[in-house]
Amino acid sequence: MYTASTAFLEALTEAGVSYIFANFGSDHPALIEAIAEARAHGRRIPAIITCPNEMAGMSAAQGYAQVSGQPQAVIVHVECGTQSLAGAVHNAAKGRAPMLVFAGASPFTQEGEMRGSRNEFIQWIQDVPDQRSIVRGYMKYENEFRTGKNIKQMVHRALQFAMSEPKGPVYLVGAREVMEEELTDAVSIDMARWRPVEPAALPQEGVEQMLAAFAQARRPLVVTSYLGRNPDAVAELVRFCENVGAGVHESVPSAMNFPHDHDLYLGNQWNEPHQNEALGEADCILVIDSDVPWIPTISRPAGGVPIFHIDVDPLKEKMPLWYIGAEHSFRADAATALGQLNDVLAVRPFDGARVAERRSRFAAKSKARRERLATLETGSNGVITPEFLTAAVRRHIDDDTIVLNEGITNYPAVSNHMAMTRPGSIFASGGGSLGWNGGAAFGAKLAAPDKTVVALTGDGSYMFSIPSSVHWMAAKYGAPFLQVVYNNRGWKAPRFSALGVHPDGYASRANDLDLSFDPSPDYAGIAKAAGGAYARKVERPEEVEEAVAEALRVVREEKRSAVLDVWLQHG
C-alpha cells in the first residue's frame, strides 16, 4: 500500500534527511504504519529517534544542523506537541537552523467517512482553530497537506525555504485522513530542481565603497556574531583582515568566527556593562553577520564613524525594533562578499606600510588581552572560578572536539578561555531560550560520531534541557557526550538584570530574590539514573583537573555520557 505517509518518508529521504526526531501520538497511525512497511521491505528511510520530550528532540535537530549544515526532521503530536517544542522553536529561528517540523492534526471527519476518522475522545479536545498560528511568527514557511498527491512537492518546497538564506525551521501539518490517503502513482522528483536559492553577492559599487573607506581608516574594525556558521566564511574573513589590517571584535558570538590566537583578534562582548575599547576607537566598521553588534546604552561606536553592514537578513525582518545607523547596508552572503573583497585586494593591495602599522597595533592589544586572561585561570582561595574550570576543560580537548556553550552568565568565560581556533569547533544556540545544550549535544554527536562533544552549561540551563530525556536518548542511541554544569546554585542572570536597572533599589539590599536553587538538585545523578552516565560532583579546585580527565576518558573509551556538577561560588 503506497500512501501519503509513504510519499512523505520518501521525500525526506530524497532530501538527504538522515534522522527523524519523533514524539509520536494518536495523529500518526499512517506514519507508524508506513515506517513499519518500509522496514519490512528493506526500503531506506530516515532513522527514527524516539524523543520523550519535544524540546529535546528539536534541540537535537538544531545541534545536528549546526554541525553538519544538513536539515533534519522533527515529528510531534498535534498542537500539544507543537507547544511542547517550546523555546526550541525560538532557538532554531533565531539561530537560523534549517529543519522540517511536521505535526499531525485532529481528524476532520467523525463518522468513519474516511480512513483515519475520529475514534478517540482526545481528537475533539485537540481540534483547535489555527494550529499553525502557534509557530507562525518563527517559521520561514508553514503550510498544511490537503492531499497526498503533492506531498513530495510540498516537502521539497518547505526545505527549499529552510535551506535558503536566511535559513531556518519550517512547519507542515497533516490530518490523519490525508496521511492515510492511498496513492496510485509515486511522484518522481528531480532534486536538481529543488535546490536552495544561490548565495547573494555584493554589488560592485558596494565593493568599491567599502574598500575606499577601509583604505583611509587608521583603526578599521570588523564586528561579527555568527559568520562562522559557514566555516568557509572564516577563512575569507581572516584573509580580508590580514589584507587590510583590520581588527576583529565579536559581539555575542554563537560560532567560531575568527581564531582566538590570531594577532588581529580583539575579544568578545556579551552583557558586560562597559564601553568596548576596540569599538570606541574604530574609525571604520564592517558589521557582518550580527544581530546585536553592540548595545547602544552600554557600548557603541564613536559618532560619525562610517558603518558598513552585510547580512543575509540586513533588515532583521522578524525584529520589530532594529537599527545600527549603517550608511551602507547590503543583503549578501558573508563568504561570497568577503571573497569579492579579497579578489579585488589581490590585484589592488592596500599600502603595505599602513597595513603593517595597523596590524602591529592590534597585535599588541591582542597579546595584552591574552596575558590578562591567563592571570584569571589560576583560581583563588580554594574557590573554583569559571575561568579556572574552563581552562581545565580546554587543556583536555583536542582538534576532534566540538564545544557547545550555554553558560549564560558564564558565556564570556567560556568564550574567552576555551579560546577556540578552528571553524565549526564551538556553538551557542543563537537564541535566548534556555535548555538547548543537552539535546544539541546529542544531535551534534549524531552528526559527528567520531568527534568528542562537550556541553558547558549553567545549572539553570541544565535544568531547562530536560536531562532525563536527553541522557536516556544518548544511552539508547549510543551518542555519549560530556556535560559540565557551572553550578552557582541559582539564576544569576535575573539578578544581574534587576541590578542593572535598579542598582540602588530594594533588590540590591535584599537577601533573597527568589532565584536560588538551594538545596541543589543532584544534577549528575539525574543523568546517571536516566542514562547510566558517569556522574560526579566537584567542589574543590584540586579535584577539577582529574575529574575532567576521567569524565572525558569515560566518554571516549567507555562510550558513556558523563556529567560533572562543578560548584562555583554561590550566585
Side-chain angles (χ1 to χ4, degrees), residues 219-370:
R219 303 289 178 261
L221 186 69
V222 176
V223 179
T224 188
S225 301
Y226 50 80
L227 172 141
R229 290 176 185 166
N230 176 5
D232 294 338
V234 176
E236 293 290 355
L237 178 59
V238 171
R239 185 177 158 211
F240 173 75
C241 292
E242 291 176 346
N243 283 337
V244 304
V248 174
H249 166 62
E250 293 180 297
S251 178
V252 197
S254 58
M256 205 302 294
N257 303 302
F258 199 85
H260 280 224
D261 60 354
H262 197 290
D263 282 346
L264 292 173
Y265 183 71
L266 302 177
N268 56 83
Q269 187 155 350
W270 297 74
N271 286 331
E272 299 93 323
H274 59 76
Q275 171 66 49
N276 180 268
E277 181 183 0
L279 190 62
E281 291 181 349
D283 58 356
C284 182
I285 297 174
L286 167 60
V287 175
I288 183 166
D289 281 4
S290 179
D291 286 336
V292 187
W294 49 78
I295 300 173
T297 56
I298 296 170
S299 176
R300 63 190 305 163
V305 171
I307 298 170
F308 296 85
H309 180 213
I310 299 173
D311 202 293
V312 292
D313 178 21
L315 290 175
K316 308 298 178 186
E317 295 173 16
K318 296 283 189 176
M319 295 184 189
L321 176 63
W322 194 94
Y323 53 89
I324 60 171
E327 63 179 60
H328 296 285
S329 191
F330 304 99
R331 187 183 298 273
D333 169 71
T336 302
L338 289 167
Q340 291 176 270
L341 294 165
N342 286 326
D343 287 347
V344 174
L345 288 165
V347 296
R348 284 170 25 208
F350 281 5
D351 175 77
R354 177 172 287 190
V355 170
E357 185 277 330
R358 296 171 181 169
R359 293 191 60 171
S360 176
R361 186 175 187 277
F362 286 136
K365 288 183 174 293
S366 184
K367 180 182 178 183
R369 172 186 173 273
R370 289 193 295 272

